[in-house]
Amino acid sequence: MSEVSKSLDFIRTIVTEDLKNNKNNGRVMTRFPPEPNGYLHLGHSKSICLNFGIASEFGGVCNLRFDDTNPCKEDIEYVESIQEDIKWLGFDWEDRLYYASDYFDQMYQYALQLIKDGKAYVCNLNAEEIRHYRGTLTESGKESPYRTRSIEENLSLFERMKRGEFEEGTCVLRAKIDMTSPNINMRDPTIYRIRKAEHHRTGNKWCIYPMYDFAHCISDATEGITHSICTLEFEINRPLYDWYLDQLPVPCHPQQIEFAKLNFTRTIMSKRKLLRLVKEGHVSGWNDPRMPTLAGARRRGYTAEAIRNLCDMVGVAKSNSVVDIALLEHCIREDLNKKALRVMAVLKPLKVIIDNYPENQVEELEAVNNPEDPNSGTRKIPFSRIIYIEQDDFREDPPKGYFRLSPGREIRLKHAYYIKCNSVIKDELTGEIKEVHCTYDPETKGGWSTDGRKVKGTSHWVSAPHSIEAEVRLYDYLFLDVKAGEEEETSDFMERLNPNSLEILKKCRLEPGLKEAKTGISYQFLRQGYFCVDSVDSLPDKPVFNRTVSLRDTWAKIEKSQK
RNA sequence: UGAGGCGUCGCCAAGCGGUAAGGCACUGGAUUUUGGAUCCAGCAUACGCAGGUUCGAAUCCUGCCGCCUCAGCCA
């Protein structure tokens, strides 16, 4: 944080206040409670940064707790990926790794307590009947005929539920609250349901599983959480959170605080929808670089620091918000600009022959590794008579404002020489430009001229015989832009899938040093963008690079506006 | 026609009765061996709307309007 005093968000204001009043004896404990039913995504990073961030800022700790109360949806694959992602983001739960299932025995005891106190009952209405009895948003519900069972009968029935004597769906344990409550969550919510499924941690020990509202508040209280931070949609559940804790002899009563989750334009964050993209094969997996998952972001080359900074910049509030994806990209560029090694790579090669350069001569030219980082040093790159430049860097018939290479014009080759185009050789049949012939000025070695001559354009290049071949994958948004006024809900989100979200370039030519490129390191392909070695598909003799994000491209913008 | 939230620039978001921070985006210009980066400038007489209180209101009061969440034996 800078010296400019940043005002506290509303949650940090609450924590500050609580500390001042010595609430919780000055203790701060938060938790990040993912359900292991999918991979973590950018949206979760806001919650992770918030919970771990607040804990560390206020001298507290943050627990990691898997909310694993539904054995039908959860999987060990997810508990592993979630831990990996949180560590990668830069946070540490130390030895405080918990599972809601750790507390199943305790929860069962609390359920018994509610029954004994006449505050819970076993209900034999089926799901449809329960829905019917619950009433609607505007009509109050009516009481279940099983609501008045005796404590003894409830105890016995609940015991038999636990022993597996009843089939799934035949009965549930319900809290006895108020069927006329204007808050539907308070109309005798379900506490336990029967699920004869194997749980990834408790195996077959249980065939009854607690519902979220019951399990979550008890887990929080058991761990001694002080501030239970969750997203806006749980606001309506807060009275129930408080009700359970008020009825039970729990060690403490955490405060639930809700904030608006993070959404981005042109992406989806719903785990259900992301799962569908994976299952239907629209992406290569949860870690496809186009996915908003942390695994995908990491593979694409996004850095943890950039994501943390983004979370800091978007702030924390209660209004539903959709952040412009451009802000994410800004944060990535801002971070990578400081860190990335500059290299030259020609993505769509165009052969250039420098006619006056000696045939077998090769020069080793010096190039700076990162002008933003004086400690990054320099490297040598080979230069020879035949080079490749970007197809985009040559126009036979240049438009207004174009200051790259074209017949009769001179440009600078970065770190090398000025070259001037003399002629173009085209395919007689297709008219496609096959090669461009130039002459170089030996007096401009390094890219400087002593006569005050100026060139407007500077191109990147590679020496044709020295360069290595690589595959480069360019990514675009997974979803098309939502047009103004377009009803998002009326159409299936799959209809908005961008058919061109992946462009694969197979014959790219890179400067030879990139043979040594390693995963986990970001490179700036000069004038193009930030790239990294693909951690899954890249092979030593067949390198694959991912474009993390392009550089800002003012010329592309100008050109587009001219059309 | 229920309850709970939220409405400040295109997008986030400060502000908490004393006369609208900041970031992104956008637009100019400087600079530049990346049309990158950097720098400088511009960008809400205005805070959903309408009344009211006050010397003074985005901030307080009243009434409207709009959007979001809730009717899983999901979380």
Side-chain angles (χ1 to χ4, degrees):
Chain A
M1 212 137 293
S2 63
E3 60 284 349
V4 182
S5 71
K6 198 179 161 189
S7 64
L8 297 176
D9 60 64
F10 80 100
I11 299 181
R12 279 177 244 253
T13 302
I14 291 171
V15 175
T16 303
E17 239 355 73
D18 290 347
L19 246 22
K20 201 172 86 190
N21 299 326
N22 201 37
K23 191 177 171 185
N24 306 304
N25 297 314
R27 222 165 39 80
V28 172
M29 186 185 259
T30 56
R31 97 272 95 110
F32 176 62
E35 182 188 11
N37 69 342
Y39 277 60
L40 255 27
H41 54 60
L42 262 7
H44 291 114
S45 61
K46 180 174 178 182
S47 176
I48 295 169
C49 290
L50 229 201
N51 279 295
F52 281 94
I54 283 179
S56 86
E57 288 159 34
F58 293 93
V61 292
C62 177
N63 299 348
L64 170 59
R65 181 174 70 234
F66 287 102
D67 211 341
D68 56 351
T69 58
N70 186 353
C72 308
K73 289 187 174 178
E74 296 149 9
D75 194 278
I76 190 81
E77 174 194 357
Y78 301 125
V79 344
E80 283 164 2
S81 73
I82 287 168
Q83 294 185 59
E84 187 185 350
D85 290 344
I86 299 171
K87 279 187 217 155
W88 173 75
L89 239 200
F91 297 101
D92 186 5
W93 56 90
E94 298 173 307
D95 58 348
R96 298 176 313 282
L97 169 61
Y98 305 121
Y99 295 81
S101 56
D102 292 344
Y103 316 127
F104 279 176
D105 284 304
Q106 176 66 262
M107 290 173 198
Y108 180 75
Q109 293 304 319
Y110 282 145
L112 249 24
Q113 182 67 245
L114 286 179
I115 295 173
K116 287 175 189 161
D117 293 343
K119 292 168 182 165
Y121 62 99
V122 173
C123 181
N124 283 81
L125 254 23
N126 64 35
E128 193 184 335
E129 289 165 335
I130 285 186
R131 192 186 325 127
H132 185 70
Y133 273 78
R134 185 158 32 225
T136 67
L137 294 177
T138 51
E139 304 158 47
S140 86
K142 53 184 187 193
E143 298 184 350
S144 162
Y146 303 101
R147 200 176 203 258
T148 51
R149 288 217 253 232
S150 69
I151 289 172
E152 291 66 34
E153 188 183 5
N154 281 319
L155 249 15
S156 150
L157 253 16
F158 188 47
E159 168 67 20
R160 292 173 65 195
M161 275 174 68
K162 184 195 172 206
R163 282 208 303 258
E165 291 185 24
F166 306 124
E167 290 311 306
E168 284 186 18
T170 54
C171 57
V172 292
L173 182 70
R174 289 227 257 167
K176 194 185 287 185
I177 307 181
D178 179 7
M179 291 307 289
T180 68
S181 171
N183 181 343
I184 289 187
N185 289 287
M186 301 300 272
R187 320 238 264 228
D188 289 12
T190 303
I191 301 174
Y192 268 94
R193 78 289 211 189
I194 299 169
R195 283 282 175 277
K196 296 193 171 170
E198 184 169 317
H199 186 279
H200 67 98
R201 297 208 91 221
T202 60
N204 293 304
K205 179 179 177 187
W206 298 91
C207 62
I208 55 172
Y209 291 91
M211 297 289 289
Y212 164 82
D213 290 295
F214 188 68
H216 199 258
C217 61
I218 290 173
S219 302
D220 280 348
T222 303
E223 290 174 17
I225 299 302
T226 56
H227 303 269
S228 178
I229 301 167
C230 63
T231 46
L232 247 29
E233 67 267 29
F234 293 102
E235 207 154 26
I236 198 86
N237 297 54
R238 190 179 350 126
L240 184 52
Y241 183 100
D242 289 331
W243 188 87
Y244 282 129
L245 295 185
D246 285 341
Q247 312 309 312
L248 270 5
V250 288
C252 69
H253 189 139
Q255 180 184 3
Q256 175 176 309
I257 307 169
E258 310 85 10
F259 72 97
K261 63 172 69 159
L262 178 58
N263 293 295
F264 286 108
T265 55
R266 309 201 63 170
T267 111
I268 53 165
M269 245 23 135
S270 137
K271 278 198 272 187
R272 203 195 89 246
K273 290 177 179 173
L274 293 175
L275 179 63
R276 221 180 121 192
L277 290 176
V278 173
K279 284 259 155 75
E280 293 178 16
H282 296 106
V283 293
S284 64
W286 284 102
N287 65 346
D288 186 299
R290 291 166 294 178
M291 290 282 273
T293 52
L294 293 184
R298 178 165 63 237
R299 181 172 167 194
R300 176 147 171 181
Y302 288 6
T303 59
E305 186 178 352
I307 294 173
R308 279 188 259 118
N309 190 240
L310 168 87
C311 290
D312 215 45
M313 287 176 79
V314 296
V316 181
K318 292 193 71 157
S319 62
N320 282 310
S321 58
V322 181
V323 174
D324 192 335
I325 193 75
L327 181 61
L328 201 214
E329 294 175 353
H330 167 263
C331 290
I332 305 295
R333 291 188 183 110
E334 185 182 47
D335 186 39
L336 260 22
N337 179 48
K338 294 179 295 190
K339 299 174 177 168
L341 293 159
R342 269 60 171 178
V343 294
M344 294 199 284
V346 176
L347 269 27
K348 295 178 180 168
L350 172 63
K351 185 183 282 184
V352 173
I353 296 164
I354 302 165
D355 294 315
N356 63 337
Y357 195 85
E359 285 253 6
N360 295 309
Q361 181 172 310
V362 176
E363 286 179 279
E364 292 289 325
L365 302 174
E366 188 164 56
V368 297
N369 290 326
N370 184 355
E372 305 292 325
D373 176 7
N375 299 318
S376 65
T378 62
R379 68 186 184 288
K380 296 284 191 188
I381 43 177
F383 182 83
S384 68
R385 187 167 186 269
I386 303 179
I387 63 171
Y388 291 117
I389 65 167
E390 211 65 58
Q391 285 170 19
D392 263 357
D393 285 346
F394 177 82
R395 286 294 174 78
E396 193 178 14
D397 186 19
K400 192 167 131 273
Y402 185 86
F403 47 82
R404 277 115 95 148
L405 196 64
S406 56
R409 286 219 227 169
E410 188 172 51
I411 60 158
R412 167 170 43 235
L413 294 176
K414 181 84 177 174
H415 306 307
Y417 293 100
Y418 286 8
I419 57 168
K420 188 173 186 176
C421 172
N422 301 312
S423 61
V424 180
I425 294 179
K426 291 198 260 190
D427 184 297
E428 286 177 20
L429 293 175
T430 65
E432 182 196 356
I433 297 171
K434 305 299 285 184
E435 52 189 55
V436 173
H437 284 258
C438 296
T439 48
Y440 85 117
D441 177 356
E443 300 300 310
T444 58
K445 185 166 181 176
W448 302 96
S449 79
T450 49
D451 62 2
R453 175 164 39 122
K454 288 266 196 294
V455 288
K456 287 279 275 197
T458 300
S459 281
H460 55 97
W461 54 275
V462 293
S463 165
H466 304 276
S467 62
I468 61 167
E469 189 175 288
E471 173 178 327
V472 173
R473 298 175 181 172
L474 307 181
Y475 303 106
D476 194 355
Y477 306 114
L478 215 30
F479 291 93
L480 271 1
D481 212 354
V482 196
K483 305 279 187 299
E486 192 176 284
E487 290 298 311
E488 202 176 332
E489 293 309 312
T490 57
S491 65
D492 185 75
F493 76 102
M494 287 295 184
E495 288 169 23
R496 281 175 43 226
L497 254 186
N498 177 2
N500 304 313
S501 59
L502 169 63
E503 183 183 359
I504 298 177
L505 270 19
K506 297 268 192 190
K507 302 270 182 194
C508 306
R509 307 298 310 190
L510 321 187
E511 66 171 74
L514 249 13
K515 245 188 315 237
E516 260 67 61
K518 291 178 183 61
T519 60
I521 295 178
S522 286
Y523 298 90
Q524 186 196 96
F525 287 4
L526 232 51
R527 305 205 302 135
Q528 307 198 86
Y530 297 98
F531 294 77
C532 67
V533 173
D534 185 76
S535 57
V536 176
D537 297 329
S538 193
L539 265 15
D541 56 330
K542 225 173 158 291
V544 177
F545 284 81
N546 294 321
R547 183 173 69 192
T548 307
V549 65
S550 67
L551 247 31
R552 291 184 59 196
D553 190 346
T554 309
W555 167 243
K557 209 180 285 176
I558 292 168
E559 204 177 22
K560 199 176 171 190
S561 71
Q562 283 176 349
K563 280 175 186 166

